[in-house]
Amino acid sequence: MFDYLIIGSGFAGSVIAERIANVLNEKVLIIEKRNHIGGNCFDYRDKNGIIIHKYGPHLFHTNNKKVFDYLSDFTDWNIYHHQVLAFIDGKKVPIPFNFNSIKQMFPETLANRLIEKLLKKYKYGSKVPILELKKENDTDLKFLADFIYEKVFKNYTAKQWNKKPEEIDPEVTARVPVFIGTDNRYFNDKYQAIPTEGYTKIFENMLNHPNIKLMLNTDYKEVIDIDFENKKIYFFGQEFKGKLIFTGMIDELFNYKFGELPYRTLDLRFKTVGKEKFQEVATVNYPNNYDFTRITEFKHIHPVKTDKTTILYEYPKEYKKGDTPYYPVFTPENRQIYNKYREYAQDFESIILVGRLADYRYYDMDDIVEKALDVFEEKIK
Ligand code: UDP
């Protein structure tokens, strides 16, 4: 009946389902544990009429034209350039830390000297990861690096990861580099936009095809059995000869055979505030105060005229089985565990792994779409 079974309806599963249906004209069933599609990109209009992102703020940005064009088949876009301020020593300054942040934070003479020295060393418009800037020997630049490290990264990273910045993969803090210039935007990508009617609509449009069936509220283990010894897949008790595309947690798929892969999770607390606007920009980070890392106000992302506003506090915490696995903790040690799973998975020709959880990578949305399109071309088509 089905040529393909897909576990998970986030970007990885939905892109592949759409390609199988439209390009190959074959039949696919998506099995989704939650009561909705879209994975962590799921959004909806709350009781105030404001589109909120149920699993935390998702801001689409990419330099990949192919990905942007592909998604544009399923949505119109509103141009949106995300801005973030960090609350530091009683002031709200732009993040990534840039020349404007320097001018707001320090007295004029010092600020000018810091900017001059940065410009001598780095190209205008370039991005310098904090752990790189920390290697500076010049007294002024060292002062600046230590300031940013202490006030922007150290405590935020402790809350987010329960680790010091130098203990996590350098790729993670490099996502928010110091910016050599005055651009206050959080991202510099060529394409930055928000789907006009929200992300969920993209998924509805992708999956709206007679070849695609969807089973919500279903843990895949309720309908699929994998015989690991004989490398066979059973669907409702019958051997399934097609391909299984798995976008969930790789350690769960293989019954934690090589141990659990660690994640960080978030406690997300939404709040309605009885005023038109709560804060200056969509997201304000609080590296050094409170137990939450940031507050996001969704009205900035999806403008709407109402006298109330919806905000979201993010409280990071350690992941335990059953929580939502938001962030993989990819230390070298955890990568080794992951590699064991991946190697083991190679023995299963009919199982294809793709997505943030199956790949155990800190993917952005565009990375997942790109990856899913590649996997379709290379392993399915
Ligand atoms: N980070 C930080 N302070 C900030 C912003 C980011 O220390 O004000 C660090 C922190 O370790 C965080 C990482 O940079 O986990 C990546 O931040 P990003 O905003 O990309 O995280 P995401 O939006 O994916 O949660």
Side-chain angles (χ1 to χ4, degrees), residues 142-338:
K142 196 163 172 24
F143 159 79
L144 179 67
D146 287 344
F147 181 90
I148 299 173
Y149 178 89
E150 289 291 325
K151 303 277 182 171
V152 180
F153 286 93
K154 198 173 94 180
N155 298 326
Y156 188 112
T157 302
K159 282 193 262 190
Q160 180 75 9
W161 299 98
N162 195 21
K163 286 191 163 57
K164 294 197 176 107
E166 55 276 14
E167 288 171 344
I168 57 176
D169 192 301
E171 257 183 47
V172 176
T173 45
R175 288 167 62 87
V176 191
V178 175
F179 185 70
I180 309 299
T182 54
D183 189 343
N184 283 344
R185 296 172 307 166
Y186 204 58
F187 310 110
N188 302 113
D189 303 54
K190 177 166 177 184
Y191 307 97
Q192 304 186 38
I194 288 290
T196 304
E197 295 176 74
Y199 292 96
T200 303
K201 201 77 199 164
I202 298 186
F203 293 93
E204 284 173 10
N205 290 338
M206 274 182 179
L207 303 182
N208 182 14
H209 191 289
N211 285 356
I212 301 176
K213 307 293 174 211
L214 178 65
M215 209 175 199
L216 291 177
N217 297 311
T218 309
D219 188 322
Y220 74 92
K221 293 189 280 316
E222 294 175 70
V223 292
I224 291 175
D225 271 321
I226 300 174
D227 175 351
F228 290 104
E229 218 160 281
N230 299 305
K231 319 245 172 333
K232 286 187 174 161
I233 297 166
Y234 293 88
F235 176 54
F236 279 108
Q238 295 213 341
E239 192 178 346
F240 175 70
K241 295 268 177 64
K243 284 216 153 68
L244 175 73
I245 292 124
F246 184 82
T247 74
M249 293 189 288
I250 191 170
D251 52 350
E252 184 186 9
L253 176 67
F254 295 121
N255 289 327
Y256 305 100
K257 187 181 169 70
F258 303 111
E260 276 181 50
L261 285 168
Y263 290 92
R264 292 292 284 173
T265 190
L266 296 168
D267 190 0
L268 298 176
R269 298 189 202 161
F270 291 88
K271 192 178 161 191
T272 295
V273 181
K275 52 182 173 182
E276 223 178 302
K277 275 274 162 70
F278 177 80
Q279 60 190 23
E280 302 82 342
V281 291
T283 299
V284 178
N285 289 359
Y286 291 84
N288 309 306
N289 306 81
Y290 313 106
D291 296 328
F292 51 83
T293 46
R294 57 189 179 191
I295 301 179
T296 296
E297 182 177 21
F298 288 97
K299 250 187 182 178
H300 291 276
I301 301 170
H302 292 281
V304 55
K305 235 189 132 26
T306 51
D307 54 2
K308 292 193 182 117
T309 189
T310 308
I311 58 171
L312 168 66
Y313 296 81
E314 293 179 48
Y315 294 83
K317 58 179 195 182
E318 200 187 312
Y319 166 88
K320 293 198 187 59
K321 261 190 215 170
D323 292 338
T324 304
Y326 284 101
Y327 300 92
V329 186
F330 46 102
T331 58
E333 189 191 353
N334 298 341
R335 276 196 181 166
Q336 262 184 10
I337 304 177
Y338 168 75

Side-chain angles (χ1 to χ4, degrees), residues 72-90:
S72 301
D73 282 347
F74 308 100
T75 186
D76 290 332
W77 301 95
N78 290 341
I79 287 177
Y80 173 75
H81 295 266
H82 192 50
Q83 286 197 33
V84 176
L85 299 173
F87 183 74
I88 294 166
D89 293 350

